Amino acid sequence: MISGLVQLFLWQGLGELLSKFFLPGIPGPVLGLLLLLAFLCLRGQVDKDLAEVADSFRQHLGLLFVPASVGVLLFLPELKTHALAVSTALVISVILTIAVTAIVLKVFWYFSLKRNKGNALHRERRHE
């Protein structure tokens, strides 16, 4: 488990360095997460230790929403003042998120079918 945590901290550190020196507009943890995603996609598998840490985080994900809830309560007067703008932004972002997720899943599904057909043809030709 320690190895998995070290891996996460290393990717976050790389993201922080990129953010500090090359892409100051993007938060370091976001860049680190994107780098980790790219690394795992290239590698094609997840280490056992990293998977264990990810499962532990996933089990306690609700705790990460506590600071956001405190922030909402802290800025409640401002949120009431701009309720229409905040509500509109939330509704549009939810709709866009669902649409983009559907498009990405459709693209992955298409390429998965294409790859599976190619693998099936390759297997048939090998057996001939």
Side-chain angles (χ1 to χ4, degrees):
M1 185 148 176
I2 298 295
S3 172
L5 280 171
V6 169
Q7 289 177 47
L8 286 179
F9 287 137
L10 286 174
W11 287 110
Q12 182 179 355
L14 283 172
E16 292 287 351
L17 287 172
L18 274 175
S19 175
K20 177 76 174 172
F21 295 112
F22 299 110
L23 300 165
I26 303 174
V30 172
L31 288 174
L33 184 63
L34 291 174
L35 289 171
L36 175 61
L37 177 65
F39 173 74
L40 292 175
C41 285
L42 288 173
R43 191 163 183 216
Q45 65 180 3
V46 179
D47 287 345
K48 180 185 170 211
D49 292 332
L50 188 59
E52 186 178 339
V53 171
D55 286 340
S56 297
F57 280 153
R58 186 180 44 82
Q59 289 173 356
H60 305 294
L61 197 58
L63 293 175
L64 298 176
F65 292 107
V66 172
S69 302
V70 171
V72 166
L73 290 178
L74 182 65
F75 292 104
L76 196 57
E78 286 85 359
L79 288 174
K80 285 182 181 177
T81 305
H82 303 291
L84 181 62
V86 170
S87 299
T88 304
L90 284 172
V91 168
I92 290 173
S93 66
V94 166
I95 291 170
L96 285 175
T97 300
I98 292 170
V100 168
T101 302
I103 291 168
V104 168
L105 285 174
K106 199 166 192 168
V107 167
F108 282 151
W109 179 69
Y110 171 77
F111 284 116
S112 175
L113 284 178
K114 192 174 179 181
R115 186 178 63 194
N116 288 339
K117 284 181 183 178
N119 288 342
L121 287 174
H122 180 67
R123 277 187 244 129
E124 286 177 11
R125 289 183 183 159
R126 267 194 336 203
H127 293 296
E128 288 179 355

